[in-house]
Amino acid sequence: MLRALAAQGLALAVIFGLAWLLAPRMPFWFWPLAQGGAAAFLAYLWGLNRWWLIFQVALPFALVWQLGHPVPAWIYPLALLGLVLVFGGGLLTRVPLYNSSHAAWKALLDRLPLTEGLKVADLGAGLGGPLSYLARQRPDAHFVGVEASPVVWLLAWLRTWSLRSRCRIRFGSLWKLPLGEFHVVYAFLSPAPMPALWKKTLLEMAPGTLLISNTFQIPGVIPETEIRLPDRPDARLLVYRIPGDVETSTSDSQEALKKAENT
Ligand SMILES: C[S@@+](CC[C@H](N)C(=O)[O-])C[C@H]1O[C@@H](n2cnc3c(N)ncnc32)[C@H](O)[C@@H]1O
């Protein structure tokens, strides 16, 4: 976002210079086009993807349109409130809303153990896609999701309404959900919370259980398995097993915890 904003800012400085020289000779539409084109070019040089490029070109036209069609001032706080209700859950944790793909749901299903009374959690459940799919495919298992954005939580809750005896979506922070009862914890978050998440799973989950992360790895920890997903070049499921001998001791787990604390 900062790169996109910087591209618009730098392009604006250049376009101001050009306008100083050429303003009377060029048609009005040239200026938003030049602004958007220059910003998109900079964004391309700085490695932003094609959606950002389209956005860079469209933004100056949207501003020009808006100058001719003023909207009431209350629209802005309302739009801000809407954004907070949808994306607010990840605002401080730097985890936005985006959905796991169908391929990820299927790969996740394949990794679920056949354990009797299996319990699975989705931390940051989003719109509830993975959980409602898994709950339908595994009627013998129980599922819990936790989601911090109010509107997103409500949509996930409605989506899993018919499955609610085995699939619950709680509203709140993933950091407050105790993980001790789960055999599998799924998380599709961002790079930012992964070290803290690993620490939480080591402290709370039983040895031998699984943390499955979509795409984002735990720094310094090698996953037991990596499953490539067809969605994006870097998309994969990373399967981490909580260390320690299930039958005897948890010394491996304590060693891993010490390592996590040092990173
Ligand atoms: C990338 S989405 C993943 C959604 C879903 N798990 C999926 O795979 O389709 C991450 C979600 O985590 C939520 N989130 C971020 N931080 C959170 C937190 N601390 N507690 C609960 N939810 C959180 C965001 O609001 C967002 O909906």
Side-chain angles (χ1 to χ4, degrees):
M1 274 163 65
L2 287 177
R3 272 182 286 167
L5 199 63
Q8 287 288 346
L10 202 58
L12 190 65
V14 175
I15 298 306
F16 261 132
L18 267 184
W20 192 265
L21 297 170
L22 299 175
R25 279 184 248 160
M26 303 308 276
F28 181 72
W29 57 261
F30 170 81
W31 300 106
L33 186 64
Q35 167 72 27
F41 179 64
L42 286 171
Y44 170 74
L45 290 183
W46 294 342
L48 293 177
N49 71 28
R50 72 193 149 103
W51 291 109
W52 278 110
L53 307 192
I54 294 168
F55 178 76
Q56 298 287 50
V57 176
L59 183 70
F61 285 99
L63 286 176
V64 167
W65 179 86
Q66 200 229 325
L67 286 174
H69 302 79
V71 291
W74 53 262
I75 291 283
Y76 297 102
L78 194 70
L80 182 65
L81 181 69
L83 288 173
V84 169
L85 289 176
V86 176
F87 294 107
L91 216 57
L92 298 176
T93 46
R94 293 158 59 200
V95 182
L97 169 66
Y98 32 78
N99 300 314
S100 297
S101 63
H102 214 268
W105 301 356
K106 279 193 175 152
L108 195 53
L109 177 67
D110 291 342
R111 297 307 306 180
L112 294 188
L114 295 171
T115 316
E116 207 179 304
L118 181 76
K119 287 192 174 165
V120 180
D122 183 357
L123 303 182
L127 297 170
L131 282 193
S132 61
Y133 174 79
L134 294 175
R136 284 196 170 84
Q137 303 300 318
R138 282 292 299 266
D140 59 315
H142 282 79
F143 300 86
V144 173
V146 58
E147 172 54 51
S149 285
V151 170
V152 179
W153 164 79
L154 183 63
L155 293 173
W157 187 80
L158 290 172
R159 186 176 191 170
T160 51
W161 170 261
S162 60
L163 300 159
R164 70 188 177 285
S165 61
R166 295 181 298 104
C167 181
R168 302 237 157 210
I169 309 279
R170 297 188 193 167
F171 175 61
S173 168
L174 65 90
W175 303 110
K176 296 210 172 125
L177 181 72
L179 302 179
E181 63 180 306
F182 297 106
H183 301 95
V184 177
V185 165
Y186 175 63
F188 185 20
L189 298 170
S190 82
M194 295 316 288
L197 180 63
W198 182 232
K199 226 162 131 184
K200 180 173 167 64
T201 53
L202 287 177
L203 281 170
E204 297 177 13
M205 290 180 74
T209 54
L210 300 177
L211 167 65
I212 303 184
S213 170
N214 189 327
T215 303
F216 304 110
Q217 50 188 338
I218 297 157
V221 184
I222 298 166
E224 181 183 88
T225 317
E226 255 188 71
I227 304 148
R228 294 220 159 271
L229 298 172
D231 327 338
R232 302 177 313 278
D234 65 335
R236 61 226 153 109
L237 288 190
L238 301 148
V239 182
Y240 297 93
R241 193 173 290 279
I242 304 302
D245 188 325
V246 188
E247 299 297 322
T248 56
S249 82
T250 59
S251 62
D252 289 357
S253 180
Q254 278 158 11
E255 210 169 282
L257 184 60
K258 263 190 214 147
K259 235 170 123 187
E261 273 164 358
N262 291 335
T263 51

